[in-house]
Amino acid sequence: MGERSVKLLVMATMLEAKPFVSGLGLEQLCEKPFLVFKNAHQVLIISGIGKTHAAGAACYGFLGFSPKTVINIGAAGALDTKHPAGAIYQADKIIEHDRPDIFSGKPVFHSPDQMDGIDTAVLATGDRPVIAPEDRKRLSALAELVDMEAASVVQTCRTLNVPCHVFKIISDDPGHTAGTDIVYNIKIFRQKLFDFYNASILPKLD
């Protein structure tokens, strides 16, 4: 596959990715099987929502572009009120709360790569949205944030032996119970996430 030379970003939706496409000067490369944008040093794949989509996108990106590192970046929900909307964290541990280990019965967990100087949080990944306050409270015993993709991206990267970092901006907390709240907040905070990537993450990857 040649020398690994590019950074691969995996994002769930174009809603989150819009500032990245414009800010990085990315050109659309293809629409199927995934929507892909590229410049000389970075590839952005829109995976779609959910673990299967995320794993497929990460594998497709690895096989097609031989990245030197993979970054899963996007929105996540907070499971408590200690992590406010608009705050950005890197995941230091990811728990698949809906996938128990076949032998122990405990949730499967993954360990992404880490960067110094960035706040960390434990992230839960599952295929079912966790929005209702009672569901968030129940899951808060295991994690602080929740999404629907990160665990699969990290597992795929570990299988393919490529570094993987996970960064999430809080789009909703227990006070947000409607999908429209999440969309609204993503639109508000997505530029902040890109600015953080450009200023605080990208220089550490070079």
Side-chain angles (χ1 to χ4, degrees):
M1 292 187 293
E3 182 183 356
R4 295 182 179 181
S5 61
V6 303
K7 306 166 191 72
L8 173 66
L9 286 80
V10 179
M11 303 187 74
T13 68
M14 192 64 196
L15 178 68
E16 299 158 282
K18 188 174 180 180
F20 288 77
V21 173
S22 57
L24 297 173
L26 303 176
E27 299 287 337
Q28 184 173 328
L29 189 64
C30 63
E31 189 172 356
K32 298 290 183 180
F34 297 97
L35 182 58
V36 179
F37 299 88
K38 187 179 185 298
N39 63 20
H41 303 290
Q42 295 168 94
V43 175
L44 168 61
I45 295 184
I46 306 299
S47 65
I49 295 171
K51 290 192 284 187
T52 301
H53 286 145
C59 189
Y60 179 79
F62 180 86
L63 295 176
F65 303 100
S66 301
K68 64 180 181 181
T69 190
V70 176
I71 305 100
N72 175 230
I73 187 166
L79 295 172
D80 55 39
T81 57
K82 299 176 183 178
H83 299 78
I88 298 171
Y89 300 92
Q90 68 173 328
D92 58 353
K93 182 178 180 180
I94 302 175
I95 298 172
E96 287 190 77
H97 59 96
D98 58 356
R99 179 190 168 199
D101 179 85
I102 192 169
F103 297 108
S104 70
K106 297 179 180 180
V108 173
F109 74 91
H110 309 272
S111 299
D113 291 280
Q114 300 295 294
M115 286 185 182
D116 293 336
I118 299 175
D119 291 340
T120 63
V122 178
L123 175 68
T125 295
D127 274 319
R128 184 177 66 85
V130 179
I131 298 176
E134 59 271 21
D135 292 335
R136 293 186 200 243
K137 183 176 181 179
R138 185 163 45 249
L139 188 53
S140 68
L142 297 176
E144 297 159 299
L145 313 180
V146 61
D147 84 332
M148 298 176 68
E149 294 83 31
S152 292
V153 177
V154 175
Q155 182 176 358
T156 301
C157 290
R158 291 288 177 258
T159 301
L160 298 172
N161 195 30
V162 60
C164 182
H165 298 269
V166 176
F167 302 95
K168 298 293 176 177
I169 191 165
I170 304 303
S171 60
D172 55 287
D173 59 35
H176 301 106
T177 58
T180 52
D181 293 337
I182 299 172
V183 171
Y184 178 78
N185 285 345
I186 289 174
K187 288 180 179 179
I188 289 177
F189 295 128
R190 62 189 178 185
Q191 184 63 47
K192 178 181 179 181
L193 183 61
F194 169 71
D195 292 342
F196 182 84
Y197 170 78
N198 206 35
S200 300
I201 298 174
L202 190 54
K204 296 180 181 180
L205 294 172
D206 292 330

